[in-house]
Amino acid sequence: RTGIQAELILGTIARKANKNGAANEDYLEDRVSFGEDKLIDSGSKAVMMAWEKPLMEAHAKAVCSGGHVLNVGFGMGLVDTAIQQYSPVTHTIVEAHPVVYKRMLQSGWDKRENVKIIFGRWQDVLSQLETYDGIFFDTYGEYYEDLREFHHHLHKLLKPGGIYSFFNGLCGGNAFFHVVYCHLVSLELENLGYTTQLIPLPVKDCLGEEVWEGVRQKYWQLDTYYL
């Protein structure tokens, strides 16, 4: 509880200090490349990796209880591929990176009948969004403050009774701080009027040392992922 209170205070300070979104803009201007099992930036940091596929399938199952679904952040398309298996009435995808967007078009995502692609940062395209039964959020190059800001728009984006989820990679290399962030997000969402649930998913078997070959930073080092 003390850790959560400290983070709330530090978060307030960070909000005042970090107004320019520089990290996200740097990423959007960066050269990214696709491998067989990963999407990496020019510094060999992983944007997304294939080991996340079972997690993305679980997230898709969670948010696809209704007909209209929004996903913010396409990446390798793992969660969107999983969402398509549920045949949503509409499937809206927001993607901001020009290379990823170009690859989406080359792969024919814009030709799918129920898919609508919106190119741009979610902060800049809010006016183009509608209301949805399910929402998933997974951006790269943003901070906790950006996630928190998105949460403050949920009341306009999420239909009553809808389900929201996000990639929970917060402090994925430190078990103590990860738990602090899990509780912090739950507390903040509950303060916004939402009920929350954390579902533990074992990931140890997905993460042998070979997974990280060619990747500069292990962004996830814990045995359990909390969806």
Side-chain angles (χ1 to χ4, degrees):
R1 183 64 65 173
T2 303
I4 294 172
Q5 290 173 342
E7 175 55 35
L8 284 168
I9 294 168
L10 291 171
T12 303
I13 296 169
R15 276 196 296 281
K16 293 177 181 176
N18 182 33
K19 289 289 185 183
N20 57 7
N24 183 245
E25 289 170 13
D26 288 346
Y27 162 64
L28 297 181
E29 294 173 0
D30 193 13
R31 175 178 50 82
V32 298
S33 57
F34 288 84
E36 244 181 70
D37 59 353
K38 63 180 75 76
L39 169 61
I40 61 174
D41 66 15
S42 62
S44 294
K45 289 184 179 179
V47 178
M48 191 173 208
M49 298 180 70
W51 73 265
E52 297 175 30
K53 186 172 183 283
L55 303 183
M56 293 299 163
E57 290 171 346
H59 278 293
K61 183 178 181 181
V63 302
C64 284
S65 58
H68 302 275
V69 180
L70 167 68
N71 173 43
V72 181
F74 181 81
M76 293 171 66
L78 298 180
V79 78
D80 290 295
T81 298
I83 287 171
Q84 279 289 292
Q85 293 174 359
Y86 292 90
S87 302
V89 177
T90 65
H91 177 183
T92 302
I93 306 170
V94 176
E95 175 54 53
H97 199 288
V99 175
V100 177
Y101 175 65
K102 182 179 179 181
R103 188 180 175 92
M104 291 176 73
L105 300 184
Q106 290 172 342
S107 302
W109 277 90
D110 58 322
K111 304 291 193 300
R112 302 190 184 209
E113 280 187 16
N114 61 346
V115 170
K116 177 183 180 182
I117 302 172
I118 300 176
F119 176 56
R121 296 172 70 241
W122 65 264
Q123 295 92 332
D124 300 329
V125 301
L126 283 168
S127 63
Q128 299 178 49
L129 302 180
E130 300 172 30
T131 56
Y132 306 91
D133 300 292
I135 298 175
F136 183 64
F137 183 90
D138 182 13
T139 60
Y140 182 79
E142 294 193 326
Y143 297 106
Y144 180 68
E145 291 306 312
D146 300 290
L147 178 67
R148 178 187 267 142
E149 182 187 343
F150 184 77
H151 290 170
H152 282 274
H153 293 283
L154 283 177
H155 70 285
K156 294 180 181 177
L157 299 173
L158 191 64
K159 292 182 180 181
I163 296 177
Y164 162 72
S165 191
F166 65 95
F167 180 70
N168 188 10
L170 299 165
C171 284
N174 184 298
F176 173 78
F177 285 111
H178 181 64
V179 170
V180 169
Y181 266 112
C182 284
H183 285 294
L184 177 63
V185 177
S186 297
L187 180 65
E188 292 189 334
L189 284 170
E190 286 164 9
N191 285 342
L192 292 172
Y194 301 98
T195 56
T196 62
Q197 181 181 6
L198 289 167
I199 302 170
L201 300 176
V203 293
K204 188 175 183 179
D205 293 343
C206 305
L207 288 170
E209 280 300 314
E210 69 282 355
V211 167
W212 302 106
E213 287 179 10
V215 178
R216 182 176 159 194
Q217 186 176 356
K218 296 181 182 179
Y219 60 86
W220 187 264
Q221 300 177 49
L222 310 179
D223 293 342
T224 304
Y225 175 86
Y226 288 95
L227 184 149

